[in-house]
Amino acid sequence: MSNELQTYLELSYSELEELNLHAKEQRLKRVPIEEIRDERIKYLTGEKGIKAVTVLFSDLEGRLHMLDYDKKFLSRVGIT
């Protein structure tokens, strides 16, 4: 089995909390969306351990939905 499949980005709880608090601070300071978008895309494209982004959400009826996006797709289509 390839070792490449076993390599993935792992964030500790404190690292994830730090990133979330930074995002919350940006929202509270009303940082322009373009600036936030550019920062997120730079992080996404610069991080070699990220291959895809998974988005989970529930609809009004409570059904859970999950979408996976390849990071190349996200940086190429309309978010940049």
Side-chain angles (χ1 to χ4, degrees):
M1 182 177 210
S2 173
N3 192 23
E4 181 181 321
L5 295 176
Q6 297 174 358
T7 319
Y8 56 92
L9 179 66
E10 184 176 325
L11 294 174
S12 68
Y13 182 81
S14 60
E15 291 170 312
L16 184 60
E17 182 180 34
E18 185 179 318
L19 290 170
N20 286 333
L21 289 174
H22 176 67
K24 181 179 180 179
E25 181 182 342
Q26 286 179 319
R27 287 191 311 271
L28 292 174
K29 289 183 176 179
R30 301 193 182 275
V31 175
I33 192 69
E34 295 81 15
E35 187 178 321
I36 293 173
R37 181 186 61 224
D38 293 343
E39 179 184 320
R40 303 293 194 278
I41 293 296
K42 183 179 177 183
Y43 177 80
L44 182 65
T45 56
E47 184 62 58
K48 300 299 179 197
I50 297 176
K51 304 291 183 205
V53 174
T54 302
V55 179
L56 287 122
F57 62 95
S58 63
D59 60 20
L60 293 175
E61 296 175 351
R63 290 179 293 203
L64 184 65
H65 299 271
M66 184 171 96
L67 303 169
D68 289 321
Y69 294 99
D70 184 273
K71 79 175 190 178
K72 293 176 187 171
F73 173 78
L74 291 176
S75 63
R76 186 181 66 229
V77 298
I79 8 183
T80 57

